Structure formats: C-alpha cells, structure tokens
C-alpha cells in the first residue's frame, strides 16, 4: 500500500506539507493546473529549491498579488469581519471546481472542521466565520493543494510522527495567546503531541488540520519499504534545527482488511451497576456499528459490594468523541474514562480453503514477518456445519489443517 510518513520534527505548516509532496516528485505544473480550476484570482504559485541548514528542500509559496493586498488593506479600515470569505463561499468555490472528487470532498471536509473549530472558539455560528482575504487564498490553496497532491501521487495511507507545538506566544486577532494558538490547540484533540525545545509557533492551524484530517495514525514510522524521501521547507528558522518537514514515500505491507489496524487507539471505559442486562448486547453491537474496533464487558464488584459491569470500548482516535457520545446516550453511565494507548498489532490477511463441504475463509496473523496465528471464520464454519449436518468442531479442525497444508506447500 502506497504510504507517506511525515516526520514533523520541526513542526508543520500547510506550505511545508505541500512542499514535501513536491519534493517527493509531485509535478508542480500539473498541481498548478488543477488549482487553477478553483477560479480564485489574486495569487501566483512558486516552487523553489532552498537549502535549510545544509538540507536541500522544496519551498512552496502562494504569492498574493497586489490587488488582493489592496483589498485586504481596505477591509481592515472598514471592519474586517464583514469581509473575507465565509465557510459557505469557500465550500461553493470547491464544489464548483472540476477537480477529482476525492480531494475535493476531503478539502471541503477539512474546511468544515476548521470552520466549526473557529466558530466554537469565537462563540458564533459556522455561517458567521470569515477567513480574511489573504488568509483565505493561502488556506484554500494549501488545503486543496495538499489533498490534490496526495491524490496525484496515488497515496493510499498517511501517517505522521507525534507533533511538536513550539513555545512562547503568538499574536492573535484579540491579543497575545500562548502557543499553540486556540485553533491549533482544538485541532490537536486526539493527536499525540511531542516534547520539543522549539521556539515560536512551529505548528500552524493549517498544518495541524491537514495532518489531523489525513493521518491514519501518529507514532513511529510504520514498517515500510522507502522509495523516496522529500523535504518541505517553512519560513521561520530554528537555531539548530532545519525548519523542514521530512516525508518518506514507500510501500507498507497493506492487509486485505482495510488499511491495517491503527497502532495508537483510545480506550473508553465505564463502570455500570444500574442498567438492565438486556441492554448490554445492544450497546456492544451498537458501538461496533459506530466504528469501535472492539467492545466488551466484564463483571466487577463495585462499592458497597454491588455487582456491576465494566464496559470497555476500543476506539480509533478519530471516533473517540462519537463513541463517548454514544455511551452517554445508550447507557446509564454518568462518566466515561478515556485514555490513549499504543498497541502491537499483528498484520491480518485472509486466505480461502476448500473443504469437502464448501469454502471457509481463514484469517492469518503475522507479526514481524513471522506467522503467529490462524483463525477460521466462525460464521463460515457454522454455516457449513448446519448445511451439511457435520459437527462444528470438525469443520473448524478441517479448516485449520487445510490452511496449514496450504502454507506448508507455499513455503
């Protein structure tokens, strides 16, 4: 599976991520051509090779032309919040553009998330949020360019290192705020953050947004065969760290089950001692439908010797809010514990085995290249046992034996 791993040791910004894609071999002219379909005026694009503390990198720039600056300057005199582009205008620009559907929808989704975050911070509705003119052009190009770039490079999976946020203060519209700025901080919910001694705002809201929206997981580099390494340069320089995002492009062992299970997950737990037992199967099934990786309950003894159940849900990072809301809605709990945890995951793949009674799928688990486990699909075995009047254990045993024979002959 074609994978990009972003190593954000110096932080990340929209232009740095697009620069890294260009450095990996994304065709600048082709990208410029696609972005021209958005029908936005007032800018030009450039992509220059720069040296950052001895590291050759690509510097992607959105150069705002004089007209947009004039327009922006006038806005500030006439009350900026009435001008600029609203979320719905940005959405309209993207919807009208004849660009590929996947990057288009991902860009719209990213702007929706950014709009909701900004609206929440300023205590207004989504329709009242305006991105000022220069910022709007910059953001539209960076966000759309990034998703177009992933699409044009044929990337199937994105992963990233934990993100450093920097230190010190940043000047916001309404005064000085400590880094990370409010929007960046909100966008980092569910994202692992790295310790760093970097100064200033090294992670911008756009950088945080793009990685939060596209990365399957944050952590160490996944097992992959690297084909290219690219560097995307930023503007500010750190005393002893080159201000670049390093991107690794390569092939990771994809499994047939989606994109391989995430290695950093969120565990949600609730102790429940006052809910009717009939509801537990409903809750567990419902959690799996809502996107949980697993859900289960076990008996516990609570205060005053009261019997109860510990309900546990394993959630992808992106689903933790949805599943927390689900627990409050569907159970009697008044509190849900959340923690982020890493897990080691065997790669899973399916094989099909022919038995005298029909075909059974067998899931095989491999860890660090070694085969660790076989598991015949229970429902397949049950169906064949019922249809053929054979004991279920016999079908399962036959499926295991056949799977071992097949792998023996392969090796």
């Amino acid at each position: 599976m074609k994978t990009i791993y972003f190593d954000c040791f110096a932080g990340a910004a929209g232009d740095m991520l697009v620069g890294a894609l260009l450095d990996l071999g994304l065709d600048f002219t082709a990208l410029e051509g696609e972005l021209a379909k958005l029908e936005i005026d007032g800018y030009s694009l450039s992509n220059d090779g720069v040296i950052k503390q001895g590291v050759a990198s690509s510097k992607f720039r959105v150069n705002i032309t004089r007209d947009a600056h004039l327009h922006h300057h006038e806005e500030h005199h006439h009350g900026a919040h009435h001008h600029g582009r609203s979320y719905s205008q940005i959405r309209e620009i993207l919807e009208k553009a004849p660009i590929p559907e996947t990057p288009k929808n991902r860009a719209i989704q990213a702007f929706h998330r950014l709009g909701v975050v900004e609206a929440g911070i300023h205590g207004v509705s989504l329709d009242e949020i305006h991105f000022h003119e220069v910022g709007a052009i910059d953001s539209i190009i960076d966000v759309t360019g990034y998703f177009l770039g992933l699409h044009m490079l044929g990337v199937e999976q994105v992963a990233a290192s934990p993100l450093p946020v920097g230190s010190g203060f940043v000047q916001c519209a309404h005064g000085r705020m400590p880094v990370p700025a409010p929007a960046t901080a909100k966008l980092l919910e569910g994202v692992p953050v790295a310790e760093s001694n970097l100064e200033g705002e090294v992670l911008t809201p756009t950088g945080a947004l793009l990685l939060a929206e596209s990365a399957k997981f944050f952590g160490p580099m996944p097992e992959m065969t690297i084909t290219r390494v690219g560097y995307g340069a930023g503007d500010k320089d750190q005393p002893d760290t080159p201000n670049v995002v390093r991107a690794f492009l390569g092939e990771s062992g994809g499994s047939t089950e989606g994109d391989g299970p995430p290695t950093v997950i969120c565990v949600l737990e609730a102790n429940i001692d006052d809910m009717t037992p009939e509801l537990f199967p409903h809750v567990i099934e419902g959690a799996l439908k809502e996107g949980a990786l697993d859900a289960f309950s076990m008996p516990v003894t609570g205060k005053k010797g009261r019997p109860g159940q510990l309900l546990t849900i394993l959630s992808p990072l992106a689903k933790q809010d949805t599943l927390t809301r689900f627990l409050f809605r569907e159970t009697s709990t008044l509190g849900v514990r959340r923690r982020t945890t890493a897990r080691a995951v065997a790669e899973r793949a399916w094989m099909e085995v022919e038995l005298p009674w029909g075909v059974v799928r067998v899931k095989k688990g491999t860890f660090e290249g070694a085969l660790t486990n076989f598991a015949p699909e229970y429902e397949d075995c049950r169906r064949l046992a019922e249809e053929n009047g054979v004991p279920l254990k016999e079908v399962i045993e036959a499926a295991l034996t056949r799977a071992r024979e097949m792998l023996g002959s392969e090796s």
Side-chain angles (χ1 to χ4, degrees), residues 95-374:
E95 279 175 346
K96 279 198 330 219
I99 59 173
E101 282 303 301
T102 307
K104 174 193 291 201
N105 293 336
R106 294 182 80 182
I108 290 172
Q109 195 181 327
F111 270 109
H112 183 261
R113 180 164 179 181
L114 185 59
V116 168
V117 163
E118 292 281 0
I121 289 166
H122 301 301
V124 297
S125 73
L126 182 57
D127 301 332
E128 292 173 83
I129 285 297
H130 282 71
F131 301 86
H132 70 74
E133 199 63 41
V134 173
I137 293 178
D138 244 351
S139 317
I140 295 169
I141 297 299
D142 285 348
V143 169
T144 316
Y146 174 77
F147 289 116
L148 276 167
L150 292 179
H151 180 76
M152 290 158 79
L153 285 170
V155 175
E156 297 162 272
Q157 175 176 262
V158 173
S161 63
L163 303 178
V165 296
S167 60
F169 284 81
V170 60
Q171 195 62 43
C172 296
H174 308 283
R176 283 171 82 230
M177 285 292 284
V179 167
T184 310
K186 183 74 182 159
L187 289 162
L188 284 172
E189 286 181 358
V191 174
V193 170
E195 211 182 323
S196 78
N197 50 7
L198 302 168
E199 290 159 25
E201 185 188 26
V202 299
L203 181 66
T204 66
T206 312
L209 173 72
L210 294 177
L211 291 169
E213 280 288 304
S214 63
K216 190 89 184 138
F217 60 87
F218 293 85
M221 193 182 322
E223 199 174 296
M224 61 192 274
T225 307
I226 295 161
T227 48
R228 286 195 76 147
V229 182
Y231 295 87
D235 289 321
K236 300 189 187 71
D237 283 303
Q238 294 289 329
D240 50 4
T241 310
N243 186 25
V244 294
V245 162
R246 179 165 61 163
F248 295 88
L249 178 65
E251 284 292 329
S252 68
S255 69
T256 49
E257 266 202 343
D259 296 355
T263 50
V264 178
I265 59 168
C266 182
V267 179
L268 306 176
E269 286 179 344
N271 290 33
I272 300 176
D273 61 6
D274 59 351
M275 188 169 93
T276 168
E278 293 105 328
L279 287 174
F280 280 95
H282 165 76
V283 169
I284 288 170
E285 214 172 291
L288 295 169
K289 278 206 185 97
E290 290 277 350
L293 299 162
D294 201 358
F296 50 92
S297 72
M298 53 186 120
V300 290
T301 306
K303 53 178 184 274
K304 302 178 186 161
R306 202 182 288 165
Q309 292 284 333
L310 168 61
L311 181 61
T312 306
I313 290 183
L314 306 186
S315 164
L317 293 178
K319 291 273 182 191
Q320 53 183 326
D321 288 343
T322 309
L323 285 162
T324 302
R325 281 194 289 271
F326 169 80
L327 282 177
F328 281 121
R329 194 173 70 235
E330 292 285 350
T331 73
S332 61
T333 191
L334 296 173
V336 174
R337 297 186 291 281
R338 288 158 60 140
R339 62 177 186 274
T340 305
T341 182
R343 58 176 193 168
V345 180
E347 284 197 12
R348 302 125 195 244
W350 289 97
M351 58 189 289
E352 292 196 340
V353 301
E354 288 273 355
L355 300 178
W357 313 284
V359 175
V360 169
R361 289 171 300 159
V362 177
K363 189 190 286 185
K364 54 178 187 177
T366 47
F367 188 67
E368 292 176 344
L371 185 66
T372 53
N373 199 26
F374 279 130

